[in-house]
Amino acid sequence: MRESLVLLEYPAIISRLTELAASPPGRRLCQQLLPACDLITARERQTETADAISLLLAHGTPPLYGIADLAPTFARTTLGAVLTMRDLLEIASFLRAVARLKRRVPDAEDERRNRVYQLMDRLQPDVGFEQRISDAIVSEEEMADGASPALAAIRARQRRAQAAIREHLDRVLRHQARYLQESLITQRNGRYVVPVRAEFRAQIGGIVHDTSNSGQTLFVEPLAVVETNNRLRELAAEERDEIERILRAFSAAVAERREVLDANAILLAGIDFAVAKGRLAIEQRAQTPFLNDEGRIRLRRARHPLIPQDQVVPIDLWIGQDFRSLVITGPNTGGKTVALKTTGLLTLMAMAGLAVPAADQTELAVFRQVEADIGDEQSIEQNLSTFSSHMRRIVGIVERAEPGTLVLLDELGSGTDPSEGAALAIAILDDLLKRGATTLATTHYRELKAYALETPLVENACCEFDTRTLRPTYRLLIGVPGVSNAFVISSKLGLSERVIEAARQLLSEDSRRFEALITELDQKTRRQTEALEAAEAARREAAAERAALEAERADLQRRRGEILQESRERARLELGEQLEIIDALIEDLRVAASGADAAAARREGEELRRELRSHLKRLQDDIGRATLASPESGSGEGPLELVVGELYSAPALGLTGRLVSGPDNRGQVQIASGVMTVTVPAAGLTKAAESPKVVSRRGSAGQVVASKRQSFRPEIKLLGQRAEEATLTLDRYLDDAVLAGASSVRIVHGKGTGALREAVHQLLRSDRRVKSFRLAAFGEGDSGVTIAELR
């Protein structure tokens, strides 16, 4: 099967998958990915891929940086090895990645069912240990003073000794400058010295540690600092010993945690691997297919993933239900081999758990083995001809064929005498059929078309050829044997009709009848296909007109509601003004009048005020009900009756899908659209009549957000840009980050002079979208990268 993987270009898919992984362990898992030969494993892998796609579309790419391959490092600690400061910095970066991903696990129970989130949830952060390492290790070659009290004390004594030496040497520089080559304190062999002119060697007593190349300068350690320099050497030895002790302690701590660290490493690699599969699916606009182990293949608008998307022609192909062998005929460069490779490669991808570039409802089978003979390779070493080379491979395929085998044969029987080649091809197909294999074969032989017409469980297919343009259309037609276009093409190219007619007469009567039958069948199929396409176009046009009418009706209802709302609001304001006038009159009466008449007037005013207030409340209630019933608040047609399996639209997300479950006690339901399963409020659903797909609405906020989440990457590179250009680029990028819902981003500005870094930091300080920012730690990019946390 490994030879078939190469022939079907499976390694090229794995190579691209590997490029999309973010860490060495994740890339290693990608490189090791092979198709699974059992249905349960393949379905589990597909579920993980679908969950990765959902995660990426909903929340963007997880922060999978700072993850080194540390399994060998962890193993060394159990053997007693002492880790270096670089090793410990890599472990700290690894632990930060664990904590980052653990924080990304959502609280919502329905989201936590996502398998990638389940992997993240099993991570075991050790924030305390990571902080201890980060506090103790400054860089690959420097340990912080605070790594231990003993180290801090040693370095304090070192600083005092160095200060005493410098103080004495400063006096030498001030008072004996005329004897010196220059006023400079330097070091030789780890000891502080001054540069003395050779002719004044006697004026400054001390030990000569070095001389210049010219011999004119001597580097002298004055006698007064020799003892202190000796003490510094002793302190340096104590410092090395203490650093070694600290590193041993950290190494022992790593060894104690090895089981947890190894488990985290395995989980991080699995997360990176799953995310890479999701990123590949989004890049290829792929779907997770239905799987079976019964040999059924049904491709809907399938595309070969290695052909550019703007050039590939999608195909529809099915096999394994009414027939188990498919014979594909057609002209050279007409798409036969591409159809064969597309079927084989997509089958291997599906078995490996990868999404396939095809439309919804695509179904693929999990086979025990996939065997292929494709291409025109010769074995030069063994001096084999093209025919012999192919036949040698086919012999092995036939011997291994059994139920659960997919066999792909390109140009079966070619390279030898046509009559013998055709007979041999028919015998091979017949034997494969008896062995229970599922077979797709391409051929030029007319005899195989007749064999497919006459034999149960065998079907014809052809790659369409446009005789008007003399070009293949690359469309695959199932159930139609290929038509010989030699006479038509020759006529189009100008060959005399007399010659063409003479050629026709040379054909046998049976051959002419056979070709005429096939031509008639081909023409009928074309007419049916054109009629179906015309009907589909009319259906789409009618659906578009219906949608436009619905939009116009909704707009009219909205405008009517707005007018009614405005009228009610004006009436409310007028009543309110009248109520204020009456309140003022009643107050005036209360102040100015007394006696029974005044009391009667107040009672009358109070009665009028109560009546107006009642009328105002009814009007406000009407306004409230109208607002709730407006198109922005709902349909106003009462609660929608929800049926699991039916199609509904979620306008707020710009999605249409099938109802999976719900509503729950919070009024939430789940709808499945393509590879995504999303949770939405039941009150926000409307009935949909179209097939489940993403609703294409230009200007839709939901569509913009979904698009940003799909394409957004949590890293931007500003290297080589001027400060002004970089800040404009970063400002636009932060807009995309907010739309994509990113919690943090990496800004790569490089080290250089620091001007670009300062411009980036100046923008981040004043940007309301930014919660905080910091220079990256070791393993994250150091001072050449800034990590920004977003609000």
Side-chain angles (χ1 to χ4, degrees):
M1 184 164 165
R2 288 189 177 275
E3 188 177 12
S4 298
L5 296 181
V6 175
L7 290 173
L8 293 170
E9 301 177 277
Y10 179 78
I13 298 297
I14 294 303
S15 176
R16 181 54 188 153
L17 177 68
T18 303
E19 291 172 1
L20 293 172
S23 68
R27 287 192 284 272
R28 188 164 54 248
L29 286 182
C30 292
Q31 291 166 346
Q32 295 170 352
L33 179 62
L34 290 172
C37 295
D38 65 283
L39 182 62
I40 294 175
T41 302
R43 280 179 173 167
E44 287 177 350
R45 291 179 177 182
Q46 286 289 351
T47 300
E48 182 180 79
T49 302
D51 285 350
I53 296 170
S54 297
L55 183 151
L56 289 168
L57 292 176
H59 302 293
T61 305
L64 287 161
Y65 49 85
I67 304 171
D69 187 3
L70 295 177
T73 303
F74 300 150
R76 280 165 41 212
T77 60
T78 58
L79 300 176
V82 178
L83 301 180
T84 65
M85 284 186 265
R86 177 184 177 85
D87 292 333
L88 290 170
L89 286 172
E90 287 181 339
I91 291 172
S93 178
F94 170 88
L95 290 172
R96 282 193 294 273
V98 170
R100 275 196 310 271
L101 290 169
K102 181 75 170 186
R103 290 195 297 270
R104 292 290 291 267
V105 178
D107 294 328
E109 188 61 34
D110 55 337
E111 286 192 88
R112 291 169 73 95
R113 287 195 288 268
N114 184 299
R115 294 201 176 194
V116 184
Y117 279 138
Q118 288 177 358
L119 291 176
M120 292 185 190
D121 197 34
R122 287 163 53 194
L123 291 168
Q124 302 176 63
D126 194 339
V127 178
F129 187 51
E130 179 273 317
Q131 193 63 50
R132 281 169 53 199
I133 296 175
S134 300
D135 290 344
I137 312 296
V138 177
S139 69
E140 296 179 28
E141 299 176 351
E142 182 182 358
M143 186 172 287
D145 292 358
S148 76
L151 184 61
I154 291 169
R155 288 184 174 171
R157 291 197 296 274
Q158 284 178 324
R159 286 190 289 271
R160 287 196 295 271
Q162 290 167 346
I165 292 172
R166 284 190 169 276
E167 184 179 352
H168 181 82
L169 295 181
D170 282 340
R171 286 199 296 271
V172 172
L173 295 180
R174 287 195 304 271
H175 301 302
Q176 297 177 299
R178 63 186 180 279
Y179 305 133
L180 305 178
Q181 196 67 259
E182 56 183 319
S183 296
L184 174 70
I185 300 172
T186 185
Q187 281 189 325
R188 288 294 186 274
N189 302 321
R191 302 179 77 88
Y192 287 97
V193 295
V194 291
V196 179
R197 293 162 65 181
E199 61 267 29
F200 297 118
R201 168 70 182 84
Q203 275 67 32
I204 298 180
I207 302 171
V208 178
H209 286 280
D210 199 4
T211 61
S212 65
N213 291 333
S214 64
Q216 297 299 311
T217 304
L218 305 176
F219 294 94
V220 177
E221 177 187 10
L223 291 174
V225 299
V226 169
E227 186 60 34
T228 312
N229 264 328
N230 289 340
R231 180 58 182 152
L232 269 181
R233 297 290 288 271
E234 293 171 2
L235 289 171
E238 292 180 26
E239 180 188 33
R240 284 195 299 272
D241 290 343
E242 180 59 16
I243 289 173
E244 179 75 9
R245 187 196 66 76
I246 294 169
L247 292 177
R248 285 187 180 280
F250 272 125
S251 301
V254 171
E256 292 173 4
R257 293 167 168 79
R258 183 186 172 185
E259 185 176 344
V260 173
L261 291 172
D262 281 340
N264 281 336
I266 292 170
L267 289 170
L268 286 180
I271 293 164
D272 190 15
F273 171 60
V275 170
K277 292 193 295 178
R279 291 181 64 187
L280 181 67
I282 291 172
E283 178 179 280
Q284 295 180 344
R285 293 185 296 162
Q287 307 281 345
T288 52
F290 295 106
L291 296 179
N292 67 79
D293 58 359
E294 299 167 3
R296 288 192 313 278
I297 296 175
R298 178 170 290 275
L299 301 179
R300 296 185 65 252
R301 297 191 60 76
R303 295 170 278 111
H304 195 288
L306 300 178
I307 300 177
Q309 294 183 10
D310 59 344
Q311 299 175 22
V312 66
V313 177
I315 63 168
D316 292 333
L317 182 148
W318 57 94
I319 188 173
Q321 181 126 10
D322 299 325
F323 52 91
R324 282 193 289 107
S325 290
L326 186 65
V327 178
I328 306 173
T329 53
N332 286 332
T333 71
K336 302 191 305 297
T337 303
V338 171
L340 211 63
K341 283 189 171 184
T342 300
T343 304
L345 182 54
L346 266 56
T347 297
L348 293 174
M349 290 173 65
M351 290 166 63
L354 300 175
V356 297
D360 284 341
Q361 310 304 314
T362 288
E363 184 174 13
L364 287 160
V366 175
F367 292 96
R368 283 196 286 275
Q369 52 187 345
V370 176
E371 302 286 353
D373 175 48
I374 298 173
D376 186 20
E377 300 175 2
Q378 296 189 32
S379 178
I380 298 173
E381 294 84 354
Q382 300 180 42
N383 194 26
L384 297 175
S385 68
T386 300
F387 176 76
S388 300
S389 175
H390 282 295
M391 192 50 59
R392 183 170 176 269
R393 191 178 298 140
I394 290 172
V395 167
I397 291 173
V398 172
E399 288 177 351
R400 293 188 295 270
E402 61 182 0
T405 303
L406 174 64
V407 178
L408 306 166
L409 303 174
D410 192 27
E411 298 298 349
L412 181 60
S414 62
T416 187
D417 178 78
S419 59
E420 292 182 358
L424 194 58
I426 291 172
I428 290 169
L429 288 176
D430 215 40
D431 191 56
L432 289 171
L433 186 64
K434 291 174 182 175
R435 288 174 175 266
T438 300
T439 306
L440 283 83
T442 68
T443 183
H444 279 103
Y445 293 134
R446 183 185 62 200
E447 290 85 350
L448 267 70
K449 303 175 192 176
Y451 166 73
L453 285 171
E454 297 168 352
T455 308
L457 299 179
V458 183
E459 185 59 271
N460 271 302
C462 72
C463 290
E464 188 179 50
F465 188 86
D466 190 339
T467 55
R468 292 170 296 181
T469 62
L470 301 185
R471 292 179 180 273
T473 67
Y474 303 104
R475 293 173 56 196
L476 189 67
L477 305 177
I478 305 290
V480 181
V483 180
S484 174
N485 295 297
F487 294 155
V488 176
I489 294 172
S490 299
S491 177
K492 291 276 187 180
L493 294 176
L495 187 64
S496 167
E497 284 296 327
R498 176 176 53 79
V499 175
I500 292 172
E501 185 56 33
R504 283 198 180 96
Q505 295 305 316
L506 293 175
L507 291 174
S508 67
E509 184 63 27
D510 288 343
S511 296
R512 286 198 294 271
R513 282 201 303 269
F514 183 72
E515 289 297 331
L517 177 64
I518 291 177
T519 302
E520 182 182 356
L521 179 59
D522 177 64
Q523 291 172 349
K524 286 182 178 179
T525 302
R526 284 183 184 229
R527 287 195 294 270
Q528 290 174 352
T529 302
E530 290 171 358
L532 284 172
E533 289 177 348
E536 178 63 19
R539 187 195 67 77
R540 287 196 298 267
E541 184 178 353
E545 290 179 358
R546 185 168 62 250
L549 288 171
E550 285 293 327
E552 186 176 353
R553 184 181 67 83
D555 185 58
L556 288 172
Q557 287 183 341
R558 180 185 59 77
R559 289 167 57 191
R560 174 178 174 275
E562 288 176 353
I563 293 170
L564 289 172
Q565 194 80 338
E566 288 174 4
S567 299
R568 294 189 185 97
E569 185 63 22
R570 282 197 300 271
R572 186 184 68 79
L573 291 173
E574 289 174 2
L575 280 173
E577 290 172 359
Q578 293 177 25
L579 190 60
E580 290 176 0
I581 293 172
I582 291 173
D583 282 342
L585 288 172
I586 291 173
E587 183 63 22
D588 290 343
L589 284 171
R590 187 184 65 77
V591 173
S594 60
D597 291 341
R602 282 198 301 274
R603 283 195 299 275
E604 186 177 344
E606 291 288 353
E607 183 65 30
L608 180 59
R609 180 165 60 181
R610 280 194 297 274
E611 185 177 342
L612 283 172
R613 284 195 183 280
S614 177
H615 189 31
L616 180 62
K617 186 176 184 308
R618 285 196 301 274
L619 187 59
Q620 288 174 332
D621 289 344
D622 288 344
I623 292 172
R625 282 192 294 273
T627 301
L628 290 173
S630 67
E632 291 78 3
S633 303
S635 66
E637 298 176 358
L640 187 66
E641 183 178 353
L642 300 177
V643 179
V644 172
E646 293 294 322
L647 290 177
Y648 298 95
S649 291
L653 295 179
L655 291 176
T656 296
R658 296 193 181 279
L659 184 65
V660 176
S661 65
D664 58 18
N665 55 8
R666 296 179 298 154
Q668 301 286 315
V669 298
Q670 287 188 329
I671 60 171
S673 177
V675 299
M676 290 190 298
T677 300
V678 295
T679 301
V680 297
L685 295 182
T686 59
K687 194 74 175 72
E690 298 297 326
S691 60
K693 59 183 178 180
V694 175
V695 179
S696 177
R697 299 187 303 165
R698 295 187 182 273
S700 165
Q703 184 188 33
V704 171
V705 171
S707 174
K708 289 298 180 189
R709 284 176 173 167
Q710 176 176 338
S711 60
F712 180 74
R713 297 288 176 266
E715 178 180 274
I716 181 172
K717 294 183 179 179
L718 305 175
L719 299 171
Q721 298 186 20
R722 291 179 289 105
E724 182 179 354
E725 178 188 3
T727 52
L728 289 173
T729 303
L730 179 57
D731 185 58
R732 290 193 296 268
Y733 174 76
L734 290 175
D735 284 339
D736 291 344
V738 171
L739 279 175
S743 60
S744 66
V745 294
R746 297 180 80 242
I747 305 165
V748 182
H749 43 63
K751 298 177 182 178
T753 63
L756 184 55
R757 178 176 63 238
E758 182 54 35
V760 167
H761 287 186
Q762 187 174 351
L763 172 66
L764 297 178
R765 285 189 197 98
S766 58
D767 199 306
R768 293 183 178 180
R769 296 165 293 190
V770 178
K771 182 180 179 182
S772 62
F773 66 92
R774 61 176 174 82
L775 284 175
F778 178 86
E780 296 177 333
D782 301 319
S783 60
V785 173
T786 294
I787 308 294
E789 301 290 333
L790 305 182
R791 297 186 186 278

